[in-house]
Amino acid sequence: MLKRVFYCLIILMIGISTTLQAADSDARIKIDTERRIGAINKHIYGNFAEHLGRCIYGGIYDPGSKLADKQGFRTDVLEAAKGLNVTILRWPGGNFVSGYHWQDGIGPKENRPQRTDLAWQTPEPNTFGTDEFIDFCRKLGTEPYFAVNMGTGTLDEARNWVEYCNVKDGAYYAELRKKNGHKEPHNVIYWSLGNEMDGWWQMGHKNAEDYGKFALEAAKLMKWTSPNIKLIAAGSSNFYEGSDPHGWNRVVLDYLKEYIDYIALHKYVENYENDYYTFMATTQDIYERTAIVEGQIKEAMSKMRNPRQIWVAWDEYNVWYRARAGADMVGRNALEEKYNLEDALVIAGFLNAFINNSHIVKMANMAQLVNVIAPMFTSPTDMYRQTIYYPLAMYANNSHGCALDVFVDSPTFDTKQWKKVPYLDVSVAYNENNEVVINVVNRHLTDPIKTDIIAQTGEFSGTFSVHEVNGPDIKTENTFGSEPIVTVEKAGITASGNKITYEFPAHSYTMIKGKLK
Ligand code: AHR
């Protein structure tokens, strides 16, 4: 009898303590500095500049403008881009590259031909070409990443471009570069073998076999010209009715496995239905597609006597759906998407997904840098930072080192496609200074989520800085002279021991940073 009363008491006490715990905090994030996913490659904070709309002309390059420097680069854009710590910049496309002949864009400007770009139905003056792009990259302090034309281009064009950029002297195109005023080679390391060749919309679109064969020959010639280059294969782009993205990747990996260092994937997400939670969950797809292609890489490697590493590059990603039809898709003002707070939260979701896949994702490029589905937006006389600028800047300037495999216990939501999606979307970086950088998106539309952040190894110490991107309304946008959505520094947290409790506000992105050792 006494025993039974004792057991009842114990059960009651456990019950009470669980209820108290649940009432106290809604969620838990457990951090163990020994559970590591992989090194966060700085190139996941890359960007993309295509000859499309006003990205190059009127964005990066605007020689007539009062805001331009002597080389014609917009200084306001350069300064804002520096704030994004752009680590690698992809160029010149995108769909544009599949009709681009690089030799049109070198030499004296008065001799360069104007062409018509069929991808975006726009005249291409070619006043911005290889040497201007390299100059821009040097000013910005970023790594250039070129894409070659695998649509209407030839094998010779691809290898000659590598020669122009990377061979010191003696060779014909190396000498041409020198004649054009660039004595030293440009040393372009990253080259992608075309763009979205799986898409019917691509000039010179191919099936996987034809692309694999052609890209393999291009890869050989490019590597023989400059053995240190790194090659990126055009993997599957955004899915469309009738496409076979996984089949494409398998064939491409099989053909190119001995030459490529990365396979590129693309992802654009949308909110046509104005369904907030479905939109918030769209970045789940990054986890799924990364896992699938990782398995396919393993499969390809298993067929090799000397397996090599192939990484994943998400070399185009963003929110894109408003400026995606009719007049918004062509011409000088194409793709001028305006972003709001919910888009900024989705961008934080993308970045969490890249960090949480750090073992295999070694590059990511927001598409694009300015004006065209971009974090910066210009007029002839002004510029502003769109909402999506702010999370990207926070991650790119802070989340470095090693990605930790954190345990997250959070309330969840369901969508048609994804079940049990945690409201709290989390990634954690741990750097060589024993700092943890905790990125948390609270995707709950209305409720704050009180969370215990628990260190399972070491102790928190000192003051933790807290930065937040949020706003009164998820539909709030920035515009010229008015940026309601920015990063706000909140009161720091004085931490000691192994627990920090913090309440993440509804529809917010928060970065908490401090010492853990
Ligand atoms: O970034 C805009 C376009 O989206 C790119 O040109 C193309 O690669 C993708 O379809």
Side-chain angles (χ1 to χ4, degrees):
M1 175 66 182
L2 213 62
K3 231 180 187 178
R4 204 173 292 160
V5 173
F6 177 72
Y7 283 135
C8 284
L9 265 175
I10 296 272
I11 288 166
L12 198 69
M13 278 162 69
I14 292 173
I16 290 171
S17 87
T18 327
T19 329
L20 280 180
Q21 208 187 8
D24 207 29
S25 282
D26 311 304
R28 288 175 304 152
I29 298 170
K30 289 185 176 177
I31 301 174
D32 177 342
T33 55
E34 286 175 348
R35 288 180 66 96
R36 299 176 175 209
I37 298 171
I40 300 171
N41 194 296
K42 65 177 182 178
H43 288 155
I44 67 165
Y45 306 119
N47 214 296
F48 173 35
E50 178 168 4
H51 288 239
L52 193 184
R54 295 189 303 120
C55 183
I56 302 290
Y57 303 106
I60 286 174
Y61 186 67
D62 201 0
S65 164
K66 280 199 183 114
L67 293 165
D69 64 12
K70 276 206 292 244
Q71 287 171 289
F73 301 137
R74 280 281 292 252
T75 51
D76 50 349
V77 172
L78 249 172
E79 196 203 312
K82 282 184 181 160
L84 287 177
N85 187 25
V86 179
T87 49
I88 187 163
L89 190 59
R90 181 170 178 252
W91 176 83
N95 298 343
F96 171 82
V97 80
S98 296
Y100 181 59
H101 300 289
W102 67 271
Q103 288 189 56
D104 290 345
I106 56 166
K109 293 199 180 173
E110 60 281 11
N111 298 339
R112 299 187 193 176
Q114 171 164 309
R115 306 276 189 202
T116 299
D117 164 40
L118 293 181
W120 308 106
Q121 304 285 325
T122 317
E124 170 53 53
N126 279 309
T127 47
F128 185 97
T130 302
D131 299 323
E132 289 78 20
F133 178 69
I134 292 292
D135 287 345
F136 180 75
C137 287
R138 302 300 178 229
K139 278 202 164 162
L140 180 55
T142 195
E143 183 86 39
Y145 166 21
F146 282 31
V148 298
N149 179 351
M150 298 269 98
T152 65
T154 64
L155 298 177
D156 269 338
E157 270 181 289
R159 67 130 173 183
N160 292 342
W161 204 5
V162 177
E163 185 175 298
Y164 183 87
C165 291
N166 289 3
V167 175
K168 190 162 168 43
D169 39 35
Y172 177 83
Y173 289 97
E175 291 301 321
L176 188 57
R177 183 200 65 242
K178 284 161 70 181
K179 197 171 138 216
N180 288 340
H182 295 265
K183 196 162 167 281
E184 291 306 316
H186 293 324
N187 266 326
V188 177
I189 303 294
Y190 296 87
W191 294 83
S192 87
L193 299 162
N195 171 73
E196 294 193 351
M197 297 310 298
D198 62 331
W200 54 263
W201 55 89
Q202 206 64 217
M203 287 178 262
H205 161 55
K206 296 175 176 46
N207 65 29
E209 296 278 338
D210 289 348
Y211 169 70
K213 284 182 202 159
F214 190 59
L216 175 62
E217 293 311 307
K220 269 162 50 182
L221 305 193
M222 290 164 77
K223 278 265 191 190
W224 289 348
T225 306
S226 180
N228 292 336
I229 59 173
K230 293 191 185 298
L231 294 175
I232 295 98
S236 60
S237 54
N238 248 16
F239 299 179
Y240 61 93
E241 186 96 25
S243 68
D244 174 18
H246 307 312
W248 172 275
N249 290 339
R250 174 171 287 126
V251 174
V252 165
L253 281 164
D254 218 29
Y255 271 99
L256 297 173
K257 58 184 180 296
E258 291 183 39
Y259 283 91
I260 56 169
D261 301 282
Y262 302 77
I263 180 163
L265 305 176
H266 291 177
K267 179 75 185 171
Y268 292 102
V269 299
E270 42 82 6
N271 189 14
Y272 288 112
E273 311 277 311
N274 195 18
D275 176 343
Y276 172 81
Y277 283 114
T278 297
F279 187 41
M280 286 299 121
T282 48
T283 49
Q284 296 296 108
D285 198 39
I286 297 289
Y287 293 86
E288 177 146 305
R289 282 178 63 196
T290 300
I292 292 170
V293 88
E294 185 181 355
Q296 293 178 317
I297 292 170
K298 282 189 185 144
E299 185 192 0
M301 288 307 113
S302 71
K303 297 177 195 160
M304 287 178 78
R305 193 171 296 170
N306 297 310
R308 32 195 307 281
Q309 180 67 59
I310 296 175
W311 307 113
V312 173
W314 283 96
D315 71 4
E316 285 186 34
Y317 75 91
N318 208 340
V319 174
W320 175 26
Y321 65 102
R322 302 166 182 96
R324 205 168 179 161
D328 286 333
M329 274 294 272
V330 289
R332 199 44 86 206
N333 292 94
L335 277 61
E336 298 203 346
E337 187 100 358
K338 305 288 164 43
Y339 290 107
N340 61 25
L341 173 60
E342 65 180 7
D343 301 322
L345 301 182
V346 167
I347 292 305
F350 270 114
L351 294 163
N352 280 344
F354 302 144
I355 292 174
N356 286 330
N357 283 287
S358 282
H359 62 296
I360 186 87
V361 174
K362 297 293 180 182
M363 192 196 297
N365 304 70
M366 176 184 271
Q368 302 192 3
L369 190 64
V370 53
N371 292 330
V372 170
I373 45 173
M376 281 103 71
F377 199 86
T378 66
S379 72
T381 53
D382 206 355
M383 194 215 76
Y384 72 91
R385 289 163 175 78
Q386 297 230 49
T387 60
I388 60 171
Y389 179 97
Y390 292 96
L392 180 59
M394 290 308 289
Y395 281 83
N397 286 295
N398 295 285
S399 288
H400 294 283
C402 190
L404 297 183
D405 183 9
V406 290
F407 169 84
V408 180
D409 174 24
S410 148
T412 60
F413 62 96
D414 289 346
T415 69
K416 219 194 270 171
Q417 189 182 1
W418 305 103
K419 305 296 167 212
K420 293 204 177 317
V421 182
Y423 284 111
L424 292 190
D425 180 14
V426 183
S427 73
V428 175
Y430 188 57
N431 65 32
E432 68 279 9
N433 302 322
N434 299 115
E435 281 172 324
V436 267
V437 181
I438 305 164
N439 298 298
V440 179
V441 184
N442 178 6
R443 302 187 264 206
H444 205 294
L445 184 56
T446 52
D447 295 354
I449 297 187
K450 192 173 173 191
T451 305
D452 288 338
I453 304 171
I454 299 156
Q456 294 188 288
T457 47
E459 305 219 312
F460 298 120
S461 64
T463 303
F464 277 62
S465 63
V466 181
H467 289 84
E468 185 183 296
V469 178
N470 199 354
D473 191 314
I474 53 163
K475 300 294 182 190
T476 308
E477 295 176 5
N478 294 350
T479 188
F480 293 105
S482 157
E483 291 190 22
I485 306 298
V486 292
T487 303
V488 175
E489 177 154 16
K490 314 290 280 189
I493 306 166
T494 310
S496 67
N498 75 339
K499 191 162 104 174
I500 293 172
T501 301
Y502 191 78
E503 188 169 84
F504 295 101
H507 54 66
S508 65
Y509 157 60
T510 306
M511 187 196 83
I512 299 179
K513 181 175 173 180
K515 291 268 182 208
L516 169 60
K517 61 175 177 179

